[in-house]
Amino acid sequence: MRSSGDLGLHSLDDAERAAAAALPPEVRDFVAGGSGRETTLDANRAAFDALFVVPRVLRDVSGCTTATTLLGRPAALPVAAAPVAYQRLVHPEGELAAVRAAAAAGVPFTASTLSSVPLDALTAVGGTVWFQLYWLRDERRTVELVRRAEDTGCAALMLTVDVPWMARRLRDVRNGFALPDGVRAAEVDTGGAAHHRAAGASSVAAHTGQAFSSGLTWASVERLRALTRLPLVLKGVLAPEDARRAAEFGVDALVVSNHGGRQLDGAVPSIDALPAVADAAGPACEVLLDSGVRSGTDVLRALALGASGVLVGRPLVWGLAAAGEDGVRRVLDLLGGELRDALGLAGCHDPSDARGLRTVSRQQPHRPAPERGLSNASA
Amino acid sequence: MRSSGDLGLHSLDDAERAAAAALPPEVRDFVAGGSGRETTLDANRAAFDALFVVPRVLRDVSGCTTATTLLGRPAALPVAAAPVAYQRLVHPEGELAAVRAAAAAGVPFTASTLSSVPLDALTAVGGTVWFQLYWLRDERRTVELVRRAEDTGCAALMLTVDVPWMARRLRDVRNGFALPDGVRAAEVDTGGAAHHRAAGASSVAAHTGQAFSSGLTWASVERLRALTRLPLVLKGVLAPEDARRAAEFGVDALVVSNHGGRQLDGAVPSIDALPAVADAAGPACEVLLDSGVRSGTDVLRALALGASGVLVGRPLVWGLAAAGEDGVRRVLDLLGGELRDALGLAGCHDPSDARGLRTVSRQQPHRPAPERGLSNASA
Amino acid sequence: MRSSGDLGLHSLDDAERAAAAALPPEVRDFVAGGSGRETTLDANRAAFDALFVVPRVLRDVSGCTTATTLLGRPAALPVAAAPVAYQRLVHPEGELAAVRAAAAAGVPFTASTLSSVPLDALTAVGGTVWFQLYWLRDERRTVELVRRAEDTGCAALMLTVDVPWMARRLRDVRNGFALPDGVRAAEVDTGGAAHHRAAGASSVAAHTGQAFSSGLTWASVERLRALTRLPLVLKGVLAPEDARRAAEFGVDALVVSNHGGRQLDGAVPSIDALPAVADAAGPACEVLLDSGVRSGTDVLRALALGASGVLVGRPLVWGLAAAGEDGVRRVLDLLGGELRDALGLAGCHDPSDARGLRTVSRQQPHRPAPERGLSNASA
Amino acid sequence: MRSSGDLGLHSLDDAERAAAAALPPEVRDFVAGGSGRETTLDANRAAFDALFVVPRVLRDVSGCTTATTLLGRPAALPVAAAPVAYQRLVHPEGELAAVRAAAAAGVPFTASTLSSVPLDALTAVGGTVWFQLYWLRDERRTVELVRRAEDTGCAALMLTVDVPWMARRLRDVRNGFALPDGVRAAEVDTGGAAHHRAAGASSVAAHTGQAFSSGLTWASVERLRALTRLPLVLKGVLAPEDARRAAEFGVDALVVSNHGGRQLDGAVPSIDALPAVADAAGPACEVLLDSGVRSGTDVLRALALGASGVLVGRPLVWGLAAAGEDGVRRVLDLLGGELRDALGLAGCHDPSDARGLRTVSRQQPHRPAPERGLSNASA
């Protein structure tokens, strides 16, 4: 019983299943995997599931809206597309399909330094595009990337600060994962390293080890701040001390993130780290969050704990893998619908009302969440 | 080995199994399902299971009784039938069978605004009937419903405050759930919307979206308070701030409820929210609880944390589905027997003694509770 | 690879498996089952498993001994046989085999009011026998039981205070459990009720409902205290308020117990209740514990939290079911060996050294403990 | 897809699987098993998995190194090989292969009193060798062992203080485990006891019961301190009181350890005990940790909580069983690589930077960790 408009996808978990069916195993693994024992990957979900919200009642929510601003610009949802490398791995149109869907849905799209579609093609679509910056060993190239982001009309610069190098992701290592010939980073010269298939090694990790700087410091942030007038976002902050310092350095926003469980295995779940970071960042520095958001309720949880929005990565990739632009749009529509539901049912008229909702922590016994909604449909 | 009187039902879990066997899958799903990922649905049970009571000893419990008062009237148990819509979905006699069983058992029955049997037929049975009110977009109809409740002799008015609209319940969405032709709301004009089967959508949700107001506020409570002399109950309060305000507005009672996990997915388990709400409500505002009550021990837990009684929804529907009026009666008898057991074994002479029993919280490892009692019977 | 002396039993879990294989399902259920949803039954184990001990080192444990005193008399272990009714259900020699094993092992045996072997036969064996007293509705008979305990040479009177009536034990209810003809309470007139097989009912529960008083109060304790010079023990105390009162009434000892999860379902695990009870009871009132003890480490845990000893019920029944007197003896020997191990490895010279060992609570993920030791042996 | 250099081992869990495939069941059990119900064995892992680290960012980690000092000497990693008895059980070259791999990797090797290769052969390899001392009943032999350690050039003496006797390890008991003829302790006279196969008993435990002293006290430590100038380490300290005393006795280092879950079942996980011990030991007494370390992140966790390094036992044995010297080296290389990853991704330039990283505790739902990384590779 599938209607044409909804693609048979009724939750983000559905999109995950659809993507898993559509993708070759090693690509599915590249998307799904975390680092090491995947402790943090799992904990990201466990931490959301353990967080309960105390809703308010008898507030007029007839005009309830998900509309908000992100980095000073209007957004239809407090949600942006997270930077995800090499999206042509999962669909021939890659980032182009994704940015079209994001623009149509009214949410910012973050283009990765490792975008497999050129940046100008993405900004040409007309929505809000942020540029995610990896600080390259070749600093001249780094500066060129900043200029390129400015020239193509990107609305913000998001510096990733949690990747001095790529962590060991066992699934890729076991699969000897390498990029297929047809997929390459459009903005940086990969030199072929990311395509070199080797047993027991991830070529993507090898490439980033060659290309990225592991010497990034606060001085780099200062330099970047001086280099551009674009709003500056640091992605990958989990410690309140670092949030405080970011605010001192005039950073416009932070993304509380453990890189979706893909960098330090054993890093704190980002939703657990959020309250202290939001408190330390202070009013002048906006706080976003990613790593584990899978529903509108998750967005509400993040808003309640002090975020002004979230980034969503894997779910959009699932949509992309499942049905290209339509799939990404469907995922964003589902998320928007769920969030409006969550806001209204919690007594919030808009996203800003959610800050300060009481929350209660209660560790849940494990259950395989994605299977639940299907138990009866399949009966 | 089934005796005629007990219908082979020895616990509320048995009734769940019997109902599951009796009902078509999509109706079973409509009854069982929660919203979203069903996090709150599951957490309601986990929260009860994690709450332990410290019993007292050497008190004379030879005359132990479950009798109490609810909203100022005597009740055989600190238990009322929760409002449940469209009960003719599960049994041809629907609410009529249920109210007969409730009356015979001496417990109040709450008729839903979406009752599939007319209100006068329910009050004619002679027991205590409370009327659950959804505030309709058409306020004139809302006032008429209040008058109808008064005219038919309902003993209280229970305004549901946690449904500005119906949450997205995935099972219904996947099933494309719609009411069958023979089942309709007897007191409100459904206009057919609830019967329109559509793929990937719940027609019941669609209908409530058309019919219910999402603009309910404290002013509505004030208006309702002025409109009727019936005791006024707010159902769906979880925040202590809202409880305090309810008391200020002269509300007679609250139901601490997350709508059985069917509204905000991620809402706090009601048993976790109870102590702060009971404290905030103060002595003049009675506090009831629903969402997850499945045994006499659960009732004892709620009493210990400050409730004066509980509402029970799904278990009565299970009884109704399994064996009509006899089934509902059996469920209430089981619950009454279990509660008397629990009270006496905790050293309580009656329900009021239970308030103030010490409790201890200990998260339990997950186990599939309903299966346990059967492990050996089936061997 | 089974040696003759050890009966192939290397842990108490082994004895459980052996008993399960030896007993008819309904008797196995009668022994194993708890009340209601068996929440407390399970929580008793989870609570022990979540309690970790901080051992001490570099203390001379070369003469480490398990010897201690219980109720003022020497005992080879801080362990007594818990009162268990109708032991002839699991082995033709019943309590007689068990008391012989207990006497040989140097631990007290508690004879139940519902012993299936006459009391004089048990005391004739020559070990320490305590008499467990159910307060009968016929108080004259109750006094006769006290006299009978004195006359037969019982060393203490243990009044059960947590059974105003028998809780609903679903397994027995489902099985329609009744005593077989050859098994009866030797000291009280059962009037046949416990043997009357009825579908959907436990005849044992029915009988105790007829025979036991549910009006027991502190006045009964006072009367009993005046009635006999035997040491007086109250079994089934979980609340510190009750412990304090017991001490005031001159009670000699308490058993912190939830009746092995067989009375109030949802009652606090006894090991969780122990510290506050031990504190409230004060130095003049000895504190024992039962409900869930399955290893020497469990005994150590109880000693660390303030108990001077434990009662063990089901494990002895398992030994009895598996191999009669030899089986009970094997279980006690295993427990003694494990306790000596635990004491010595924790740096304790004897049981009194264990009090005050630091403990740490850490909820463990669920795992099926009894299966673990076998994983490889069966490979 | 196996490259020659990595032996197909990409994590320590891989090595465990490879060893399980290579070893006879009873040897695998001897290595894997814990005491009693294996509560502490399991809790060691659960405790690590529940501990999350808050990483720092924007620190220059381009020169990130795992190099450190242990007991005052340079080590390539804050890791040493834990003492493990009878390593020739799992590979013909036994400790000789292991010490060669440790020396090549630049980490200290701890030779057990029960080494199956003579001590002089191990020190002849040229790396740092520590000698683990069991205090024998025959004190003259104990002194000879100390002299032997000095004469062969061992760099430290590690006195095991948590084995007054060997705990009951059920797997060995069930297997009737005994040493095969070709494997014996090279430095102590076993008298054949450890080779005597008996049903329902562990001959290794029997032998240690005969050979080891259970009368070890602080006086023994004092005596040992006076006997040698070698750095003195106490292994098996979990209580802060004992750590404080060790520092007073001039002990150079402690190993916080529960013997890998092989001694007191129910002993606190060592990672849980670490902070209080590190605090009590003070600055003059170095603190190491073992029991459950299975990844570089685990090392980071221990460093964050105050350890200056860890010992690793079973993982090296897995490497040895899987591929001899190459296997041990591979395990150490994996651990080193993972640790460098973890340090750098947490913003640490070297191991000393890790102390004081914030940590967060969050109990994780159970999942079978070792299986995870393989889920897709096997698809």
Side-chain angles (χ1 to χ4, degrees), chain D residues 134-153:
Chain D
Y134 279 123
W135 198 277
L136 305 182
R137 287 180 183 271
D138 179 348
E139 289 215 6
R140 199 176 34 94
R141 285 290 298 123
T142 307
V143 175
E144 283 171 14
L145 281 172
V146 173
R147 296 297 167 231
R148 172 90 166 138
E150 289 173 329
D151 294 347
T152 54

Side-chain angles (χ1 to χ4, degrees), chain C residues 10 13-14 45 52-53 56-58 60-62 297 340-341 345 358 362-363 365 367 372-373 376, chain D residues 28-29 37-38 42 165 167-168 170-171 174 214-217 241-242 263 265-268 272 363 366:
Chain C
H10 301 299
D13 296 327
D14 284 355
R45 281 310 314 157
F52 293 88
V53 173
R56 301 297 304 272
V57 294
L58 293 168
D60 182 351
V61 294
S62 55
T297 284
R340 187 175 174 278
D341 234 32
L345 298 178
R358 286 173 188 259
R362 163 174 290 284
Q363 190 65 34
R367 73 194 164 100
R372 286 298 298 274
N376 296 283
Chain D
R28 191 182 62 203
D29 273 349
R37 292 182 147 212
E38 301 192 341
D42 286 357
W165 55 76
R168 186 173 173 78
L170 270 176
R171 302 198 206 196
R174 292 186 198 287
S214 55
L216 209 57
T217 65
E241 295 83 353
D242 289 333
Q263 287 296 107
D265 187 39
V268 64
D272 284 350
Q363 190 65 34
H366 180 70

Side-chain angles (χ1 to χ4, degrees), chain C residues 274-307:
Chain C
L274 174 59
V277 169
D279 193 53
C285 181
E286 196 166 331
V287 174
L288 307 173
L289 171 139
D290 77 11
S291 302
V293 174
R294 298 293 176 267
S295 71
T297 284
D298 291 342
V299 182
L300 181 72
R301 288 162 166 146
L303 297 175
L305 294 186

Side-chain angles (χ1 to χ4, degrees), chain D residues 199-227:
Chain D
S202 160
S203 298
V204 171
H207 164 248
T208 59
Q210 292 170 16
F212 297 175
S213 168
S214 55
L216 209 57
T217 65
W218 290 100
S220 324
V221 173
E222 197 162 29
R223 190 164 164 223
L224 194 59
R225 178 70 297 179
L227 204 64

